[in-house]
Amino acid sequence: MTASLEQLRRCHFAVDLGAARTRVYVKGAGLVVDQPSAAAVNTRTGALIAVGELAEKMTGRTPHYIRVVRPVSGGTVVDIEMAQRMLRHLLGDRMRRQLRRKPRLRAAACTPHDADPLAQRAAIETLVGLGARRVELVDTLIAAAVGCGLPVERPEATMIMVCGAAATQVAVLSLGSIVTAERVPVGGEAVDHAIVQHLRHEHELMLPSQSVRPLQIALSGNGLTPHGPASTEIHGRDVATGLARSVRIDTAAVRDAIQTPLTAVLDGIGKVLRDCPPDLVADLADRGITMVGGSALLPGFDQMLRRATGMPVHIAERPDVCAAQGLGAMLEGKIRPLALNPMGS
């Protein structure tokens, strides 16, 4: 962990800036923001038109002078000024006034496991622009493990998999630290892209940008497992004519299309297990893998991991907000470090 628990207890608010969603936890108030990381800007005037859910709904539906931007990519802030403007609007005037009243305002932020100094600097600059005098950085893997109730501070192995929109991070934790970790640049967006490409090549159909996620969920409660429906009807635009068209697609073919990106995730898990000490791997055989992050809810993903690894796979209770809740638990002082009693001489 980059910051100590003592430093985190002094923080007043925490931000989890993800490629898909932004979440803000305020000490004493709980999770106050949980919105898509998107902002709609008027390119003629530079004015901010909408942020969050409303900006997300505008994607692909705007006139030429309105642009929907995403200031966060792959867990890294790529546009600091836009990220600050987006956060200011999402927090609202009232909450910002409350935070500004705090003497020496402190903030905490999640950063991906292998974030380089530039990415860390961008996260710090973003929160300094909101008035924070000091910013503590926490590894997303530790925050997510704490948020889903894993006993990270104990001398036992716990394996966590953070399934984000742009990347998947896998790690084995013990004694409050990361033993081995791997970041695979494949996430929910890669799965969406695989489905879009499949429909374009096989059916010459273009999907509206909003409908890819609903398509995955619509493949029934069993989702992308063989027990789901054999086919489903979807609507899109014909590549050649540009006219609206409906096609019946084979769900088995969609399952095959998304195997390629998901195989990269399995390779990442294999690498982490190979680099892990044997005693910790023995712990994991019983305890298994805990999945967190929005893409953990991809139907059938957990069953695929179970088959491939032979280990138990659990999805956290609220996988999408685990990292923010973990940061919150550290801010509120709910996490105690493991106390080692020195042996009496």
Side-chain angles (χ1 to χ4, degrees):
M1 194 186 301
T2 326
S4 72
L5 286 170
E6 193 50 51
Q7 288 169 322
L8 285 166
R9 265 190 218 114
R10 294 189 200 135
C11 292
H12 301 102
F13 73 105
V15 178
D16 175 19
L17 273 169
R21 293 185 82 85
T22 292
R23 297 176 177 93
V24 181
Y25 188 103
V26 174
K27 197 172 190 172
L31 199 64
V32 295
V33 172
D34 182 1
Q35 294 268 353
S37 306
V41 186
N42 184 327
T43 53
R44 290 174 183 167
T45 62
L48 207 57
I49 294 166
V51 293
E53 302 243 322
L54 189 54
E56 177 100 315
K57 283 180 185 153
M58 289 182 180
T59 308
R61 299 166 186 266
T62 58
H64 67 90
Y65 62 91
I66 294 176
R67 195 162 59 96
V68 177
V69 292
R70 293 189 167 273
V72 186
S73 173
T76 304
V77 178
V78 289
D79 185 340
I80 295 172
E81 189 199 345
M82 190 51 70
Q84 288 172 352
R85 290 173 74 187
M86 180 183 81
L87 276 169
R88 278 191 208 110
H89 276 75
L90 288 174
L91 276 168
D93 292 340
R94 187 158 155 252
M95 185 55 76
R96 275 185 19 244
R97 273 199 301 273
Q98 280 179 22
L99 288 172
R100 275 204 297 267
R101 284 194 203 113
K102 312 273 187 199
R104 287 197 61 78
L105 182 66
R106 288 169 174 250
C110 275
T111 52
H113 172 61
D114 58 355
D116 56 38
L118 272 175
Q120 294 180 352
R121 187 82 230 152
I124 292 168
E125 291 284 328
T126 303
L127 298 192
V128 166
L130 286 177
R133 302 285 293 276
R134 186 182 168 97
V135 180
E136 308 292 353
L137 298 180
V138 181
D139 197 304
T140 305
L141 289 160
I142 302 263
V146 168
C148 63
L150 290 176
V152 285
E153 72 286 352
R154 302 199 61 75
E156 302 159 4
T158 50
M159 190 169 192
I160 188 150
M161 184 167 148
V162 179
C163 311
T168 301
Q169 300 174 72
V170 189
V172 174
L173 311 172
S174 181
L175 286 169
S177 302
I178 292 167
V179 181
T180 58
E182 189 69 24
R183 186 167 181 265
V184 184
V186 169
E189 287 170 0
V191 173
D192 292 349
H193 184 67
I195 294 176
V196 169
Q197 290 300 327
H198 166 75
L199 292 171
R200 196 181 176 112
H201 291 146
E202 297 297 317
H203 300 281
E204 296 186 345
L205 196 76
M206 281 174 73
L207 276 187
S209 57
Q210 309 278 328
S211 69
V212 183
R213 269 295 148 105
L215 168 64
Q216 294 168 5
I217 309 302
L219 296 175
S220 96
N222 294 314
L224 304 170
T225 62
H227 311 296
S231 64
T232 186
E233 191 172 0
I234 57 161
H235 312 284
R237 194 177 81 185
D238 191 288
V239 172
T241 63
L243 299 173
R245 184 160 67 90
S246 298
V247 292
R248 186 155 279 282
I249 59 160
D250 182 19
T251 50
V254 175
R255 280 201 301 275
D256 291 343
I258 68 164
Q259 285 300 322
T260 310
L262 296 184
T263 306
V265 174
L266 292 177
D267 291 344
I269 293 173
K271 188 172 187 311
V272 166
L273 290 172
R274 282 195 299 277
D275 295 346
C276 192
D279 291 3
L280 293 181
V281 175
D283 285 353
L284 294 173
D286 304 328
R287 204 164 284 125
I289 306 169
T290 303
M291 294 171 72
V292 302
S295 300
L297 296 167
L298 181 66
F301 192 12
D302 54 330
Q303 284 138 308
M304 181 188 145
L305 287 180
R306 247 179 240 125
R307 281 197 306 275
T309 60
M311 288 161 65
V313 177
H314 320 281
I315 299 177
E317 196 174 326
R318 287 196 62 198
D320 47 341
V321 295
C322 278
Q325 285 178 333
L327 281 174
M330 294 178 203
L331 259 63
E332 306 281 8
K334 291 178 184 171
I335 308 300
R336 294 263 170 267
L338 183 69
L340 297 173
N341 297 325
M343 292 173 69
S345 51

